[in-house]
């Protein structure tokens, strides 16, 4: 993002003109199919469909269809009005959102500013146990930190409804990119009276009430999640697709086979070994786009010897990222040496000095460090590498384990299904674990915040007061240039402490049927089924 003036002007434009509204824009002359039903591969079984209890992409994909926040993410990652038709701020600390008066829940009740007050308070309330409560702490919403820590009640959060259609947020610091954070699932409204009636069962079919373009019709565990059009959605007239089915297919090969058989319209992923074949045979259906995310391995600081920086650095040096990006993945991924990827908006990370070494030089230094740390032929380093079940994750794990084996390191590979894997990491029951972080909004802080001591997804329990201070200071900087200087320093600390081993920068690579219109090149992979349509074929 650019300096303050530009950001405030952007907000005023949205406030004055309402911005463009996201919806299916069908080109003139397009003949639509009679049956408007979309089937998507979705990787894994969702752990939950409660917006305040999710932390993964497989859940977010579905939630973007079921719910709608104050703003949405446009086809190119731009901020678009959603539940809020306009907003303004004079100081980047006090934000006023004006809600649509025609927005309704799927049961016909109006969506009001009070729903957002309830949702924001629920997200930070310790009783909710949201894995993403930190997300409202990051922009310094007044009292968020104290509420999460149990020091203040949830109703002291800096949010209020001045009337049914005016929602206000008060921040402690000026955060010029705050509005861009509000397309995230954690900021979605949820129906207070439905949750009061059904408790934890409010997300089940028949119970769930949502405010997005679709409603939950059916959910068969490990088989499918079916959504149908929400006739009470404020912009339903512009929705084209009537039914969306999400399939939790963990095997990328099985998913591709179902796609080729015509059973899936859009895949979640693509098996590495069939990428070149698909590029050659069905290049027009292969969609590869840049993605603001990094694939990395995370060390558990609570487990010895990973509290030793020499061990962490040695293991990181020994990973040949060129081989992983080009040979193992080979879909356009680039080697990763920093947490922030090159693709993030407005910031170019500086590659650390060690990335300039040849792989042979890195391997030699890695052996020296392991020897210094007390490991060698007579006392080999042994540990488990955890990853969630997925063909591609397995290939990376096998390749990295073989690279570590050259150092005399003995690695046992452990794979778990998504929900179990998340819980294992949260409980700290791992040595080294696969991880990937996709920015929640297109700004470097969305990546770097992950390494803060108090961050809810800092499963490795890394803690450096100097790093925390830099990230806190970055929230005092209104202009991007000042923030970027702090981000460079933050990456330098990570390069020295090596709490994670960045491996590669993501791209999204998936198959999309030629008859599926409206597929965007969104850098956060924020896709909305309501923007798509099936062309007659």
């Amino acid at each position: 993002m650019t300096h303050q003036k530009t950001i405030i002007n952007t907000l005023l434009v949205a406030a004055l003109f309402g911005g463009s509204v996201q919806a299916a824009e069908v080109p003139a002359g397009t003949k639509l199919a009679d049956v408007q039903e979309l089937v998507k591969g979705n990787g894994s079984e969702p752990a939950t469909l409660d917006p305040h209890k999710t932390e993964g992409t497989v859940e977010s994909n579905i939630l973007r269809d079921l719910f709608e926040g104050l703003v949405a993410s446009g086809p190119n990652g731009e901020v678009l009005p959603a539940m809020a038709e306009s907003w303004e701020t004079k100081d980047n600390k006090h934000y006023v959102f004006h809600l649509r008066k025609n927005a309704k829940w799927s049961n016909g009740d109006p969506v009001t500013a009070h729903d957002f007050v309830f949702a924001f308070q629920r997200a930070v309330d310790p009783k909710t146990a949201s894995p993403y409560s930190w997300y409202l702490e990051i922009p310094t919403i007044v009292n968020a930190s104290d509420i999460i820590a149990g020091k203040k009640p949830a109703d002291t959060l800096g949010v209020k409804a001045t009337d049914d259609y005016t929602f206000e947020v008060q921040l402690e610091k000026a955060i010029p990119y705050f509005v861009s954070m509000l397309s995230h699932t954690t900021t979605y409204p949820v129906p207070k009276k439905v949750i009061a009636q059904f408790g934890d069962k409010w997300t089940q079919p028949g119970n769930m009430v949502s405010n997005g373009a679709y409603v939950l019709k059916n959910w068969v565990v490990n088989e499918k999640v079916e959504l149908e059009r929400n006739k009470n959605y404020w912009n339903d007239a512009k929705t084209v697709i009537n039914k969306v089915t999400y399939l939790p297919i963990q095997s990328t090969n099985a998913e591709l086979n179902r796609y080729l058989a015509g059973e899936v319209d859009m895949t979640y992923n693509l098996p590495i070994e069939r990428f070149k074949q698909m590029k050659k045979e069905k290049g027009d259906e292969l969609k590869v786009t840049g993605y603001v995310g990094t694939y990395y391995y995370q060390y558990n600081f609570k487990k010895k010897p990973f509290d030793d920086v020499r061990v962490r650095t040695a293991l990181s040096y020994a990973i040949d990222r060129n081989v992983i990006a080009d040979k193992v993945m080979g879909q356009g991924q680039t080697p990763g040496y920093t947490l922030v990827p090159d693709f993030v908006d407005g910031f170019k990370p500086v590659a650390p000095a060690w990335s300039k070494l040849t792989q042979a030089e890195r391997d030699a230094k890695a052996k020296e460090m392991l020897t210094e740390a007390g490991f060698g032929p007579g006392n080999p380093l042994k540990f488990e590498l955890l990853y969630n079940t997925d063909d591609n994750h397995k290939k990376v794990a096998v390749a990295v384990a073989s690279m570590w084996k050259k150092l005399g390191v003995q690695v046992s590979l452990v794979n778990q299904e998504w929900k179990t894997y998340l819980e294992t990491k949260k409980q700290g029951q791992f040595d080294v674990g696969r991880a990937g972080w996709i920015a929640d909004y297109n700004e470097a802080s969305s990546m770097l915040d992950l390494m803060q001591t108090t961050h809810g997804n800092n499963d490795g329990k890394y803690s450096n007061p100097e790093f925390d201070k830099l990230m806190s200071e970055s929230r005092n900087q209104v202009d991007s240039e000042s923030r970027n200087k702090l981000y460079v320093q933050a990456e330098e600390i990570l390069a020295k402490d090596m709490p994670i081993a960045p491996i590669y920068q993501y791209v999204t690579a998936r198959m999309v049927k030629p008859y599926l219109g409206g597929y965007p090149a969104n850098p956060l992979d924020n896709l909305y089924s309501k923007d798509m349509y099936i062309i007659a074929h």
Side-chain angles (χ1 to χ4, degrees), residues 285-300:
E285 298 176 37
L286 175 62
K287 306 292 184 186
V288 180
T289 52
Y291 202 10
V292 187
T294 299
Y295 190 106
Y296 60 94
Y297 281 169
Q298 183 174 47
Y299 303 113
N300 187 348

Side-chain angles (χ1 to χ4, degrees), residues 303-436:
K303 291 269 192 89
K304 287 187 177 299
F306 304 106
D307 56 346
D308 188 330
V309 68
R310 295 170 300 188
V311 172
R312 299 193 302 271
T313 305
L315 292 173
S316 184
Y317 277 15
I319 299 171
D320 190 333
R321 289 154 176 83
N322 289 315
V323 168
I324 300 294
D326 300 337
K327 302 290 193 295
V328 178
M329 298 304 296
Q331 300 169 328
Q333 292 86 351
T334 54
Y337 299 96
T338 55
L339 177 54
V340 180
D342 294 337
F343 199 67
V344 77
D345 191 26
F347 175 68
K348 180 79 170 175
V350 178
W354 66 268
S355 69
K356 309 288 196 297
L357 301 174
T358 66
Q359 191 56 48
E361 289 170 332
R362 282 183 223 155
D363 287 344
K365 284 182 177 290
K367 282 182 181 175
E368 286 174 19
M369 283 184 272
L370 279 184
T371 302
E372 282 177 29
F375 295 100
N379 181 34
L381 173 59
K382 301 177 184 178
F383 62 88
E384 291 183 344
L385 173 60
L386 173 70
Y387 64 94
N388 56 296
T389 306
D390 178 280
D391 297 341
N392 294 353
H393 297 330
K394 183 178 180 180
K395 288 182 175 67
V396 174
V398 169
V400 173
S402 71
M403 293 168 187
W404 286 339
K405 191 176 180 181
K406 293 175 186 174
L407 302 179
V409 175
Q410 298 175 14
V411 185
S412 301
L413 303 185
V414 178
N415 75 292
Q416 296 178 345
E417 59 91 18
W418 177 244
K419 193 172 180 179
T420 307
Y421 153 87
L422 288 176
E423 190 60 28
T424 298
K425 287 187 69 187
K426 194 157 291 305
Q427 297 300 325
Q429 301 299 315
F430 70 100
D431 298 329
V432 180
R434 181 210 80 83

Side-chain angles (χ1 to χ4, degrees), residues 91 98 102 129 212 220 286 366 378 428 476 490:
D91 57 3
H98 304 284
N102 62 334
V220 183
L286 175 62
N476 289 325

Side-chain angles (χ1 to χ4, degrees), residues 35 61-62 91 100 143 169 191 230 244 250 288 302 344 365 369 387 412 417 438 454:
V35 177
N61 294 338
I62 303 171
D91 57 3
R100 300 182 185 281
N143 291 333
V169 183
N230 174 11
V244 188
Q250 291 189 344
V288 180
K302 299 297 183 185
V344 77
K365 284 182 177 290
M369 283 184 272
Y387 64 94
S412 301
E417 59 91 18
I438 310 304
T454 58

Side-chain angles (χ1 to χ4, degrees), residues 4 15 26 111 274 304 324 350 373 445 477 500 531:
Q4 182 186 20
V26 183
V111 177
R274 297 174 73 181
K304 287 187 177 299
I324 300 294
V350 178
S445 60
Q477 312 304 317
I500 63 168
D531 299 338

